[in-house]
């Protein structure tokens, strides 16, 4: 229920900023956009993780749906990091994002590849393969958070 509530809130935020996807002209709009995308990413990862840990009932269709949504969502945040001034506001993004942008971008690009792979595997329903692919996604998340996100 907690995850569902977070997804609803994030969906609302994302819907209110979706027009900004190609028209960022203010740093605060870009920040809100990427934060909404990351909130949605976290919601999908959380729900899939709960299924894999047995905290919620396994459901092939729901897992595949969340994996596919995650893959689509992974494409969203990067463009909002390019907006001038979006590194100046108070966010959880560390300055290192911009001072080491090639590495940050490479990690986010790898995250996109990993989530795409997870979506393909989830559609086939092989739980062992799903678990392995999900592990790669989460490992990627944690590594990027360690280096580029304030605790």
């Amino acid at each position: 229920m907690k995850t569902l509530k977070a997804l609803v809130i994030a969906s609302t935020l994302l819907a209110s900023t979706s027009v900004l996807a190609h028209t960022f002209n203010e740093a605060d709009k870009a920040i809100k956009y990427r934060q909404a995308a990351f909130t949605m990413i976290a919601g999908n990862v959380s729900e899939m993780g709960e299924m894999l840990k047995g905290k919620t009932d396994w459901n092939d269709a729901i897992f595949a749906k969340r994996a596919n949504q995650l893959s689509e969502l992974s494409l969203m945040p990067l463009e909002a990091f390019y907006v001038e001034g979006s590194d100046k506001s108070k966010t959880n993004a560390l300055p290192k994002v911009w001072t080491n942008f090639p590495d940050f971008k490479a990690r986010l690009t790898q995250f996109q590849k990993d989530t795409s792979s997870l979506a393909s595997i989830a559609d086939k329903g092989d739980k062992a393969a799903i678990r392995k692919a999900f592990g790669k996604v989460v490992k990627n998340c944690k590594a990027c958070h360690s280096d580029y996100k304030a605790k």
Side-chain angles (χ1 to χ4, degrees), residues 2-144:
K2 190 171 156 181
T3 301
L4 182 58
K5 185 176 180 180
L7 287 172
V8 170
I9 292 169
S11 296
T12 303
L13 288 171
L14 193 56
S16 68
T17 59
S18 63
V19 170
L20 303 172
H22 53 64
T23 60
F24 295 127
N25 57 6
E26 296 175 26
D28 63 328
K29 289 180 182 178
I31 292 166
K32 287 178 185 175
Y33 178 84
R34 71 181 186 230
Q35 288 174 337
F38 282 129
T39 298
M40 292 292 293
I41 287 169
N44 281 276
V45 168
S46 176
E47 189 169 352
M48 289 185 289
E50 288 175 5
M51 279 191 223
L52 285 168
K53 292 176 186 172
K55 292 182 178 181
T56 59
D57 292 338
W58 180 263
N59 183 307
D60 285 331
I62 292 174
F63 192 96
K65 180 179 180 178
R66 297 292 174 248
N68 281 282
Q69 288 172 337
L70 178 63
S71 180
E72 291 298 318
L73 289 164
S74 74
L75 302 173
M76 298 176 72
L78 184 59
E79 69 181 305
F81 283 95
Y82 286 102
V83 176
E84 189 174 335
S86 69
D87 60 332
K88 305 290 186 245
S89 295
K90 186 177 182 195
T91 72
N92 288 333
L94 294 173
K96 191 174 176 184
V97 167
W98 292 273
T99 59
N100 198 12
F101 198 76
D103 181 64
F104 176 77
K105 181 180 176 186
R107 289 185 191 202
L108 199 47
T109 300
Q110 184 60 49
F111 178 68
Q112 293 165 348
K113 291 176 186 175
D114 292 345
T115 59
S116 177
S117 177
L118 174 62
S120 295
I121 292 167
D123 285 338
K124 295 175 184 143
D126 178 348
K127 200 168 176 183
I130 289 169
R131 187 176 299 282
K132 184 176 179 181
F134 182 79
K136 282 183 76 172
V137 168
V138 172
K139 183 178 179 182
N140 185 314
C141 288
K142 288 179 182 178
C144 203

